Amino acid sequence: QVQLQESGPGLVKPSETLSLTCSVSGVSISSYYWSWIRQFPGMRLEWLGYIHDNGNNNYNPSLNSRVSMSVDTSKNQFSLRLTSVTAADTAMYYCARDSSSRGNDYWGQGILVTVSS
Amino acid sequence: EIVLTQSPATLSLSPGDRATLSCRASQSVSSSLAWFQQRPGQAPSLLIYDASTRATGIPARFSGSGSGTDFTLTINNLEPEDFAVYFCQQRYFWPRTFGQGTRVEIK
């Protein structure tokens, strides 16, 4: 059974870097692409990007190069890094599997990240 | 980027009713459209992909249709657990985008 679990700090100061990790179980991380998606207060969803351990990635240009993602195959984990955060980055952050045929078919439970001093 | 417009914003129905949700794309996304259900306090979960294919374990009362710019999610015989928020998502263009959601509430 495929399971994903986000981890990381729930509070980040403005101008600092948000770093989250997604631990994957039940499947090899090398077999799929992996996405990060966030949901703002008020429900709006934003796809941040995806990554594969072969180096392929695609990021949302709306983030103005603040985002990067990486994969650690030894730990079956992938990570998100978002620099220069502001209050507008306060959201629930989800990691999700990205199947070539089905899209985002498995999601983590999400982690709430608040940007505040 | 592709804008997905969902309507209505809220649908007030009773258990046993039929729900018809719409998702319109700002340009053609072929059949690369998915529907997600989000219950309170939970992550979105995949219902339909490629416009009309039910994901694993999704009951037959959920059906999707459409292609190009106009898509519909139909839920027949609403069950209590179906009252939730529904999102559409396109994965034809980068970046992938979501609709703003339709809330199906108990009348």
Side-chain angles (χ1 to χ4, degrees), chain A residues 35 37 39 42-47 50 58-62 94 98-110, chain B residues 1 9 34 36 38 41-46 49-50 55-56 85 87 89 91 94-103:
Chain A
S35 291
I37 295 159
Q39 187 166 35
M43 211 165 67
R44 183 172 71 92
L45 287 160
E46 180 179 49
W47 179 82
Y50 77 10
N58 197 312
Y59 301 143
N60 194 323
S62 71
Y94 294 102
D98 205 305
S99 161
S100 59
S101 55
R102 294 181 296 277
N104 298 122
D105 57 353
Y106 288 93
W107 295 56
Q109 66 185 29
Chain B
E1 74 179 33
F36 295 87
Q38 187 174 30
Q42 296 185 15
S45 63
L46 181 65
Y49 62 94
D50 291 346
T56 305
V85 178
F87 295 94
Q89 180 208 40
R91 57 186 190 117
W94 301 107
R96 297 178 181 179
T97 50
F98 291 87
Q100 82 278 21
T102 290
R103 183 181 304 277

Short mmCIF file of all heavy atoms in Angstrom, two decimals, chain A residues 35 37 39 42-47 50 58-62 94 98-110, chain B residues 1 9 34 36 38 41-46 49-50 55-56 85 87 89 91 94-103:
data_model
loop_
_atom_site.label_atom_id
_atom_site.label_comp_id
_atom_site.label_asym_id
_atom_site.label_seq_id
_atom_site.Cartn_x
_atom_site.Cartn_y
_atom_site.Cartn_z
N SER A 35 5.15 14.91 -6.73
CA SER A 35 4.70 16.30 -6.77
C SER A 35 4.60 16.91 -5.39
O SER A 35 4.40 16.21 -4.38
CB SER A 35 3.29 16.37 -7.39
OG SER A 35 3.28 16.05 -8.75
N ILE A 37 2.12 20.01 -3.79
CA ILE A 37 0.91 20.80 -4.05
C ILE A 37 0.58 21.50 -2.75
O ILE A 37 0.75 20.93 -1.67
CB ILE A 37 -0.25 19.88 -4.48
CG1 ILE A 37 0.07 19.20 -5.82
CG2 ILE A 37 -1.56 20.66 -4.57
CD1 ILE A 37 -0.71 17.94 -6.09
N GLN A 39 -2.29 24.12 -0.54
CA GLN A 39 -3.67 24.60 -0.46
C GLN A 39 -3.71 25.77 0.51
O GLN A 39 -3.38 25.63 1.69
CB GLN A 39 -4.61 23.49 0.01
CG GLN A 39 -6.07 23.88 -0.05
CD GLN A 39 -7.00 22.70 0.10
OE1 GLN A 39 -6.71 21.75 0.84
NE2 GLN A 39 -8.12 22.72 -0.60
N GLY A 42 -8.91 29.12 2.55
CA GLY A 42 -9.88 29.52 1.52
C GLY A 42 -9.95 28.51 0.39
O GLY A 42 -10.74 28.67 -0.53
N MET A 43 -9.10 27.45 0.46
CA MET A 43 -9.33 26.28 -0.37
C MET A 43 -8.54 26.21 -1.68
O MET A 43 -8.41 25.12 -2.23
CB MET A 43 -10.84 26.18 -0.70
CG MET A 43 -11.40 24.82 -0.88
SD MET A 43 -13.20 24.80 -0.82
CE MET A 43 -13.66 25.70 -2.29
N ARG A 44 -8.03 27.32 -2.20
CA ARG A 44 -7.38 27.27 -3.51
C ARG A 44 -6.16 26.34 -3.50
O ARG A 44 -5.33 26.40 -2.59
CB ARG A 44 -6.96 28.67 -3.95
CG ARG A 44 -6.35 28.71 -5.35
CD ARG A 44 -6.14 30.15 -5.80
NE ARG A 44 -5.06 30.82 -5.08
CZ ARG A 44 -3.80 30.86 -5.48
NH1 ARG A 44 -3.44 30.22 -6.59
NH2 ARG A 44 -2.89 31.53 -4.80
N LEU A 45 -6.06 25.50 -4.55
CA LEU A 45 -4.95 24.56 -4.69
C LEU A 45 -3.96 25.08 -5.73
O LEU A 45 -4.35 25.59 -6.79
CB LEU A 45 -5.46 23.19 -5.15
CG LEU A 45 -6.21 22.37 -4.10
CD1 LEU A 45 -7.06 21.29 -4.77
CD2 LEU A 45 -5.23 21.73 -3.13
N GLU A 46 -2.67 24.90 -5.45
CA GLU A 46 -1.62 25.32 -6.38
C GLU A 46 -0.60 24.19 -6.50
O GLU A 46 -0.05 23.72 -5.50
CB GLU A 46 -0.92 26.59 -5.91
CG GLU A 46 0.18 27.06 -6.86
CD GLU A 46 0.86 28.33 -6.39
OE1 GLU A 46 1.24 28.40 -5.21
OE2 GLU A 46 1.00 29.26 -7.21
N TRP A 47 -0.37 23.76 -7.73
CA TRP A 47 0.64 22.73 -8.02
C TRP A 47 2.00 23.42 -8.06
O TRP A 47 2.21 24.36 -8.83
CB TRP A 47 0.29 22.06 -9.33
CG TRP A 47 1.22 20.99 -9.79
CD1 TRP A 47 1.24 19.68 -9.40
CD2 TRP A 47 2.27 21.14 -10.75
NE1 TRP A 47 2.23 19.01 -10.07
CE2 TRP A 47 2.89 19.87 -10.90
CE3 TRP A 47 2.75 22.20 -11.50
CZ2 TRP A 47 3.95 19.66 -11.76
CZ3 TRP A 47 3.81 21.99 -12.37
CH2 TRP A 47 4.39 20.71 -12.48
N TYR A 50 7.07 19.01 -9.90
CA TYR A 50 7.34 17.60 -9.65
C TYR A 50 8.78 17.26 -9.99
O TYR A 50 9.50 18.05 -10.62
CB TYR A 50 6.33 16.71 -10.35
CG TYR A 50 6.46 16.48 -11.84
CD1 TYR A 50 7.55 16.87 -12.61
CD2 TYR A 50 5.41 15.81 -12.50
CE1 TYR A 50 7.63 16.60 -13.96
CE2 TYR A 50 5.49 15.55 -13.86
CZ TYR A 50 6.60 15.95 -14.59
OH TYR A 50 6.66 15.69 -15.93
N ASN A 58 9.92 19.76 -13.10
CA ASN A 58 9.14 20.83 -13.70
C ASN A 58 8.54 21.63 -12.56
O ASN A 58 7.82 21.06 -11.73
CB ASN A 58 8.05 20.26 -14.61
CG ASN A 58 7.51 21.30 -15.56
OD1 ASN A 58 7.19 22.40 -15.16
ND2 ASN A 58 7.42 20.95 -16.82
N TYR A 59 8.86 22.93 -12.52
CA TYR A 59 8.39 23.76 -11.43
C TYR A 59 7.40 24.80 -11.94
O TYR A 59 7.48 25.23 -13.10
CB TYR A 59 9.57 24.49 -10.76
CG TYR A 59 10.65 23.60 -10.19
CD1 TYR A 59 11.99 23.96 -10.27
CD2 TYR A 59 10.34 22.38 -9.59
CE1 TYR A 59 12.99 23.16 -9.74
CE2 TYR A 59 11.33 21.56 -9.07
CZ TYR A 59 12.66 21.96 -9.15
OH TYR A 59 13.65 21.15 -8.64
N ASN A 60 6.52 25.23 -11.08
CA ASN A 60 5.56 26.26 -11.44
C ASN A 60 6.27 27.60 -11.59
O ASN A 60 6.88 28.08 -10.63
CB ASN A 60 4.47 26.34 -10.36
CG ASN A 60 3.27 27.12 -10.80
OD1 ASN A 60 3.38 28.13 -11.51
ND2 ASN A 60 2.09 26.68 -10.39
N PRO A 61 6.20 28.21 -12.76
CA PRO A 61 6.91 29.47 -12.98
C PRO A 61 6.41 30.62 -12.10
O PRO A 61 7.12 31.61 -11.91
CB PRO A 61 6.69 29.78 -14.46
CG PRO A 61 5.57 28.91 -14.89
CD PRO A 61 5.55 27.74 -13.98
N SER A 62 5.22 30.46 -11.53
CA SER A 62 4.68 31.52 -10.66
C SER A 62 5.52 31.70 -9.40
O SER A 62 5.42 32.72 -8.72
CB SER A 62 3.24 31.20 -10.26
OG SER A 62 3.21 30.12 -9.36
N TYR A 94 1.08 19.58 0.58
CA TYR A 94 0.87 18.14 0.35
C TYR A 94 1.95 17.61 -0.60
O TYR A 94 2.32 18.29 -1.56
CB TYR A 94 -0.47 17.89 -0.33
CG TYR A 94 -1.71 18.23 0.48
CD1 TYR A 94 -2.41 19.40 0.24
CD2 TYR A 94 -2.18 17.36 1.46
CE1 TYR A 94 -3.55 19.71 0.97
CE2 TYR A 94 -3.32 17.65 2.19
CZ TYR A 94 -4.00 18.84 1.94
OH TYR A 94 -5.14 19.13 2.66
N ASP A 98 2.93 11.08 -8.64
CA ASP A 98 2.51 11.57 -9.95
C ASP A 98 2.68 10.44 -10.95
O ASP A 98 3.75 10.25 -11.52
CB ASP A 98 3.34 12.79 -10.35
CG ASP A 98 2.61 13.66 -11.33
OD1 ASP A 98 2.20 13.14 -12.37
OD2 ASP A 98 2.43 14.86 -11.05
N SER A 99 1.61 9.68 -11.15
CA SER A 99 1.62 8.56 -12.07
C SER A 99 1.44 9.06 -13.49
O SER A 99 0.61 9.94 -13.74
CB SER A 99 0.49 7.59 -11.71
OG SER A 99 0.18 6.74 -12.78
N SER A 100 2.18 8.50 -14.42
CA SER A 100 2.06 8.95 -15.82
C SER A 100 0.66 8.69 -16.37
O SER A 100 0.19 9.42 -17.24
CB SER A 100 3.10 8.23 -16.69
OG SER A 100 2.91 6.83 -16.63
N SER A 101 0.00 7.67 -15.87
CA SER A 101 -1.33 7.35 -16.40
C SER A 101 -2.45 7.98 -15.56
O SER A 101 -3.45 8.42 -16.12
CB SER A 101 -1.53 5.84 -16.45
OG SER A 101 -1.31 5.26 -15.17
N ARG A 102 -2.28 8.05 -14.27
CA ARG A 102 -3.39 8.49 -13.41
C ARG A 102 -3.17 9.84 -12.76
O ARG A 102 -4.06 10.37 -12.12
CB ARG A 102 -3.64 7.43 -12.32
CG ARG A 102 -4.14 6.10 -12.85
CD ARG A 102 -4.39 5.12 -11.72
NE ARG A 102 -3.16 4.78 -11.01
CZ ARG A 102 -2.29 3.87 -11.40
NH1 ARG A 102 -2.51 3.19 -12.52
NH2 ARG A 102 -1.19 3.62 -10.70
N GLY A 103 -1.99 10.41 -12.89
CA GLY A 103 -1.74 11.71 -12.26
C GLY A 103 -1.50 11.56 -10.76
O GLY A 103 -0.92 10.59 -10.29
N ASN A 104 -2.00 12.52 -9.99
CA ASN A 104 -1.77 12.55 -8.55
C ASN A 104 -2.71 11.58 -7.83
O ASN A 104 -3.76 11.97 -7.32
CB ASN A 104 -1.95 13.98 -8.02
CG ASN A 104 -0.93 14.94 -8.61
OD1 ASN A 104 -1.28 15.94 -9.24
ND2 ASN A 104 0.35 14.63 -8.42
N ASP A 105 -2.31 10.32 -7.79
CA ASP A 105 -3.21 9.28 -7.31
C ASP A 105 -3.05 8.93 -5.83
O ASP A 105 -3.92 8.29 -5.25
CB ASP A 105 -3.12 8.03 -8.18
CG ASP A 105 -1.71 7.46 -8.28
OD1 ASP A 105 -0.76 8.11 -7.79
OD2 ASP A 105 -1.57 6.37 -8.86
N TYR A 106 -1.93 9.30 -5.22
CA TYR A 106 -1.75 9.10 -3.79
C TYR A 106 -1.20 10.40 -3.20
O TYR A 106 -0.28 11.00 -3.77
CB TYR A 106 -0.77 7.95 -3.50
CG TYR A 106 -1.34 6.59 -3.78
CD1 TYR A 106 -1.14 5.98 -5.02
CD2 TYR A 106 -2.09 5.90 -2.83
CE1 TYR A 106 -1.67 4.73 -5.30
CE2 TYR A 106 -2.62 4.65 -3.10
CZ TYR A 106 -2.40 4.07 -4.34
OH TYR A 106 -2.94 2.84 -4.61
N TRP A 107 -1.79 10.78 -2.04
CA TRP A 107 -1.41 12.03 -1.38
C TRP A 107 -1.03 11.75 0.06
O TRP A 107 -1.55 10.84 0.69
CB TRP A 107 -2.60 13.00 -1.37
CG TRP A 107 -3.06 13.49 -2.71
CD1 TRP A 107 -3.46 12.73 -3.79
CD2 TRP A 107 -3.22 14.85 -3.11
NE1 TRP A 107 -3.85 13.55 -4.82
CE2 TRP A 107 -3.71 14.85 -4.44
CE3 TRP A 107 -3.00 16.08 -2.48
CZ2 TRP A 107 -3.97 16.03 -5.15
CZ3 TRP A 107 -3.27 17.25 -3.18
CH2 TRP A 107 -3.74 17.22 -4.50
N GLY A 108 -0.14 12.62 0.59
CA GLY A 108 0.09 12.62 2.02
C GLY A 108 -1.06 13.33 2.73
O GLY A 108 -1.95 13.89 2.08
N GLN A 109 -1.02 13.31 4.05
CA GLN A 109 -2.10 13.94 4.82
C GLN A 109 -1.95 15.45 4.87
O GLN A 109 -2.90 16.15 5.23
CB GLN A 109 -2.13 13.38 6.24
CG GLN A 109 -0.90 13.72 7.06
CD GLN A 109 -0.90 13.04 8.43
OE1 GLN A 109 -1.46 11.96 8.59
NE2 GLN A 109 -0.26 13.65 9.41
N GLY A 110 -0.77 15.96 4.52
CA GLY A 110 -0.55 17.40 4.50
C GLY A 110 0.11 17.91 5.76
O GLY A 110 0.00 17.30 6.83
N GLU B 1 -1.29 30.62 -18.08
CA GLU B 1 -1.64 29.31 -17.60
C GLU B 1 -3.13 29.04 -17.83
O GLU B 1 -3.91 29.98 -18.01
CB GLU B 1 -1.25 29.15 -16.13
CG GLU B 1 -2.11 29.85 -15.12
CD GLU B 1 -1.67 29.62 -13.69
OE1 GLU B 1 -0.46 29.47 -13.42
OE2 GLU B 1 -2.56 29.59 -12.81
N ALA B 9 -20.52 27.23 -7.39
CA ALA B 9 -19.59 27.26 -6.24
C ALA B 9 -20.08 26.34 -5.14
O ALA B 9 -19.29 25.67 -4.47
CB ALA B 9 -19.45 28.69 -5.74
N ALA B 34 -8.76 15.66 -14.40
CA ALA B 34 -9.03 14.80 -13.26
C ALA B 34 -9.99 15.50 -12.31
O ALA B 34 -10.09 16.73 -12.29
CB ALA B 34 -7.73 14.45 -12.54
N PHE B 36 -11.10 15.46 -8.13
CA PHE B 36 -10.71 15.07 -6.78
C PHE B 36 -11.84 15.40 -5.81
O PHE B 36 -12.56 16.39 -5.99
CB PHE B 36 -9.45 15.83 -6.33
CG PHE B 36 -8.22 15.49 -7.12
CD1 PHE B 36 -7.94 16.16 -8.29
CD2 PHE B 36 -7.36 14.50 -6.70
CE1 PHE B 36 -6.80 15.86 -9.04
CE2 PHE B 36 -6.22 14.19 -7.43
CZ PHE B 36 -5.95 14.87 -8.61
N GLN B 38 -12.50 16.22 -1.70
CA GLN B 38 -11.82 16.55 -0.45
C GLN B 38 -12.85 16.65 0.67
O GLN B 38 -13.72 17.52 0.65
CB GLN B 38 -11.05 17.87 -0.56
CG GLN B 38 -10.20 18.16 0.68
CD GLN B 38 -9.32 19.38 0.54
OE1 GLN B 38 -9.65 20.33 -0.16
NE2 GLN B 38 -8.16 19.37 1.21
N GLY B 41 -10.84 18.21 6.66
CA GLY B 41 -9.68 17.73 7.40
C GLY B 41 -8.85 16.69 6.68
O GLY B 41 -7.92 16.13 7.28
N GLN B 42 -9.17 16.40 5.42
CA GLN B 42 -8.44 15.38 4.68
C GLN B 42 -7.79 15.97 3.44
O GLN B 42 -8.16 17.04 2.97
CB GLN B 42 -9.38 14.24 4.27
CG GLN B 42 -9.98 13.49 5.44
CD GLN B 42 -10.80 12.29 4.98
OE1 GLN B 42 -10.71 11.84 3.84
NE2 GLN B 42 -11.60 11.75 5.90
N ALA B 43 -6.83 15.22 2.91
CA ALA B 43 -6.23 15.60 1.64
C ALA B 43 -7.20 15.29 0.50
O ALA B 43 -8.08 14.43 0.64
CB ALA B 43 -4.94 14.81 1.43
N PRO B 44 -7.06 15.98 -0.61
CA PRO B 44 -7.85 15.59 -1.79
C PRO B 44 -7.55 14.14 -2.16
O PRO B 44 -6.44 13.64 -1.95
CB PRO B 44 -7.34 16.54 -2.88
CG PRO B 44 -6.84 17.74 -2.13
CD PRO B 44 -6.24 17.17 -0.87
N SER B 45 -8.54 13.46 -2.72
CA SER B 45 -8.33 12.09 -3.19
C SER B 45 -8.85 11.97 -4.62
O SER B 45 -9.89 12.55 -4.97
CB SER B 45 -9.00 11.08 -2.26
OG SER B 45 -10.39 11.27 -2.24
N LEU B 46 -8.15 11.20 -5.42
CA LEU B 46 -8.47 11.08 -6.84
C LEU B 46 -9.75 10.28 -7.06
O LEU B 46 -9.89 9.17 -6.55
CB LEU B 46 -7.30 10.41 -7.57
CG LEU B 46 -7.44 10.22 -9.07
CD1 LEU B 46 -7.49 11.56 -9.79
CD2 LEU B 46 -6.31 9.35 -9.61
N TYR B 49 -9.80 10.20 -13.58
CA TYR B 49 -8.70 10.73 -14.37
C TYR B 49 -9.00 10.52 -15.84
O TYR B 49 -9.91 9.75 -16.20
CB TYR B 49 -7.35 10.11 -13.97
CG TYR B 49 -7.26 8.61 -14.16
CD1 TYR B 49 -6.74 8.07 -15.33
CD2 TYR B 49 -7.69 7.74 -13.17
CE1 TYR B 49 -6.64 6.70 -15.51
CE2 TYR B 49 -7.60 6.37 -13.34
CZ TYR B 49 -7.08 5.86 -14.51
OH TYR B 49 -6.98 4.50 -14.68
N ASP B 50 -8.27 11.23 -16.67
CA ASP B 50 -8.52 11.19 -18.12
C ASP B 50 -9.99 11.43 -18.43
O ASP B 50 -10.57 10.79 -19.32
CB ASP B 50 -8.04 9.86 -18.73
CG ASP B 50 -6.52 9.73 -18.73
OD1 ASP B 50 -5.84 10.76 -18.50
OD2 ASP B 50 -6.03 8.61 -18.93
N ALA B 55 -10.96 6.11 -10.70
CA ALA B 55 -9.77 5.61 -10.01
C ALA B 55 -10.13 4.33 -9.25
O ALA B 55 -11.32 4.02 -9.05
CB ALA B 55 -9.23 6.67 -9.05
N THR B 56 -9.12 3.63 -8.83
CA THR B 56 -9.31 2.36 -8.13
C THR B 56 -10.19 2.53 -6.91
O THR B 56 -9.95 3.42 -6.08
CB THR B 56 -7.95 1.77 -7.70
OG1 THR B 56 -7.10 1.66 -8.84
CG2 THR B 56 -8.13 0.42 -7.04
N VAL B 85 -16.05 18.74 -0.88
CA VAL B 85 -15.64 19.69 -1.91
C VAL B 85 -14.98 18.92 -3.06
O VAL B 85 -14.23 17.96 -2.82
CB VAL B 85 -14.65 20.74 -1.36
CG1 VAL B 85 -14.21 21.70 -2.46
CG2 VAL B 85 -15.31 21.52 -0.21
N PHE B 87 -12.77 19.19 -6.73
CA PHE B 87 -11.88 20.00 -7.56
C PHE B 87 -11.61 19.29 -8.88
O PHE B 87 -11.48 18.07 -8.92
CB PHE B 87 -10.52 20.20 -6.87
CG PHE B 87 -10.56 20.99 -5.60
CD1 PHE B 87 -10.66 20.35 -4.37
CD2 PHE B 87 -10.47 22.37 -5.62
CE1 PHE B 87 -10.68 21.08 -3.19
CE2 PHE B 87 -10.49 23.11 -4.45
CZ PHE B 87 -10.59 22.46 -3.23
N GLN B 89 -8.72 19.25 -12.11
CA GLN B 89 -7.32 19.57 -12.37
C GLN B 89 -6.98 19.17 -13.81
O GLN B 89 -7.37 18.09 -14.25
CB GLN B 89 -6.41 18.79 -11.41
CG GLN B 89 -4.91 19.05 -11.60
CD GLN B 89 -4.04 17.86 -11.16
OE1 GLN B 89 -4.38 16.72 -11.41
NE2 GLN B 89 -2.91 18.15 -10.52
N ARG B 91 -3.92 18.37 -16.57
CA ARG B 91 -2.48 18.06 -16.66
C ARG B 91 -2.04 17.97 -18.13
O ARG B 91 -1.16 17.20 -18.48
CB ARG B 91 -2.11 16.81 -15.87
CG ARG B 91 -2.83 15.54 -16.22
CD ARG B 91 -2.45 14.43 -15.24
NE ARG B 91 -2.95 13.14 -15.67
CZ ARG B 91 -2.16 12.11 -15.99
NH1 ARG B 91 -0.84 12.22 -15.92
NH2 ARG B 91 -2.69 10.96 -16.36
N TRP B 94 1.62 22.83 -18.80
CA TRP B 94 2.36 23.26 -17.62
C TRP B 94 2.10 24.74 -17.39
O TRP B 94 2.07 25.51 -18.34
CB TRP B 94 3.87 23.04 -17.83
CG TRP B 94 4.23 21.64 -18.12
CD1 TRP B 94 4.63 21.11 -19.31
CD2 TRP B 94 4.20 20.53 -17.20
NE1 TRP B 94 4.86 19.78 -19.19
CE2 TRP B 94 4.61 19.39 -17.91
CE3 TRP B 94 3.87 20.41 -15.85
CZ2 TRP B 94 4.70 18.13 -17.30
CZ3 TRP B 94 3.96 19.16 -15.26
CH2 TRP B 94 4.36 18.05 -15.99
N PRO B 95 1.94 25.19 -16.14
CA PRO B 95 1.85 24.31 -14.98
C PRO B 95 0.47 23.68 -14.86
O PRO B 95 -0.51 24.19 -15.40
CB PRO B 95 2.08 25.27 -13.82
CG PRO B 95 1.49 26.55 -14.30
CD PRO B 95 1.78 26.60 -15.77
N ARG B 96 0.41 22.56 -14.20
CA ARG B 96 -0.90 21.98 -13.92
C ARG B 96 -1.68 22.97 -13.06
O ARG B 96 -1.12 23.66 -12.22
CB ARG B 96 -0.73 20.66 -13.20
CG ARG B 96 -0.01 19.65 -14.07
CD ARG B 96 0.22 18.38 -13.37
NE ARG B 96 0.95 17.45 -14.23
CZ ARG B 96 1.30 16.25 -13.87
NH1 ARG B 96 1.01 15.83 -12.66
NH2 ARG B 96 1.96 15.47 -14.71
N THR B 97 -2.97 23.01 -13.30
CA THR B 97 -3.82 23.94 -12.56
C THR B 97 -5.07 23.24 -12.07
O THR B 97 -5.50 22.21 -12.63
CB THR B 97 -4.21 25.15 -13.43
OG1 THR B 97 -4.71 24.68 -14.70
CG2 THR B 97 -3.02 26.06 -13.68
N PHE B 98 -5.66 23.85 -11.04
CA PHE B 98 -6.88 23.33 -10.42
C PHE B 98 -8.00 24.35 -10.58
O PHE B 98 -7.76 25.57 -10.64
CB PHE B 98 -6.67 23.11 -8.92
CG PHE B 98 -5.73 21.99 -8.57
CD1 PHE B 98 -4.36 22.22 -8.48
CD2 PHE B 98 -6.22 20.73 -8.29
CE1 PHE B 98 -3.49 21.19 -8.13
CE2 PHE B 98 -5.35 19.69 -7.93
CZ PHE B 98 -4.00 19.92 -7.86
N GLY B 99 -9.23 23.85 -10.58
CA GLY B 99 -10.37 24.72 -10.43
C GLY B 99 -10.49 25.17 -8.99
O GLY B 99 -9.81 24.67 -8.10
N GLN B 100 -11.41 26.12 -8.76
CA GLN B 100 -11.54 26.71 -7.42
C GLN B 100 -12.40 25.87 -6.47
O GLN B 100 -12.48 26.18 -5.29
CB GLN B 100 -12.11 28.15 -7.53
CG GLN B 100 -13.62 28.22 -7.68
CD GLN B 100 -14.09 28.00 -9.11
OE1 GLN B 100 -13.41 27.44 -9.96
NE2 GLN B 100 -15.32 28.47 -9.37
N GLY B 101 -13.01 24.84 -7.01
CA GLY B 101 -13.77 23.91 -6.17
C GLY B 101 -15.27 24.15 -6.18
O GLY B 101 -15.74 25.28 -6.35
N THR B 102 -16.02 23.07 -6.03
CA THR B 102 -17.48 23.11 -5.82
C THR B 102 -17.78 22.38 -4.52
O THR B 102 -17.34 21.24 -4.34
CB THR B 102 -18.24 22.43 -6.98
OG1 THR B 102 -18.13 23.23 -8.16
CG2 THR B 102 -19.72 22.26 -6.61
N ARG B 103 -18.49 23.05 -3.65
CA ARG B 103 -18.88 22.42 -2.38
C ARG B 103 -20.26 21.80 -2.55
O ARG B 103 -21.21 22.49 -2.94
CB ARG B 103 -18.90 23.45 -1.25
CG ARG B 103 -19.23 22.86 0.11
CD ARG B 103 -19.27 23.94 1.19
NE ARG B 103 -18.03 24.69 1.26
CZ ARG B 103 -16.95 24.29 1.92
NH1 ARG B 103 -16.96 23.14 2.60
NH2 ARG B 103 -15.86 25.03 1.94
#
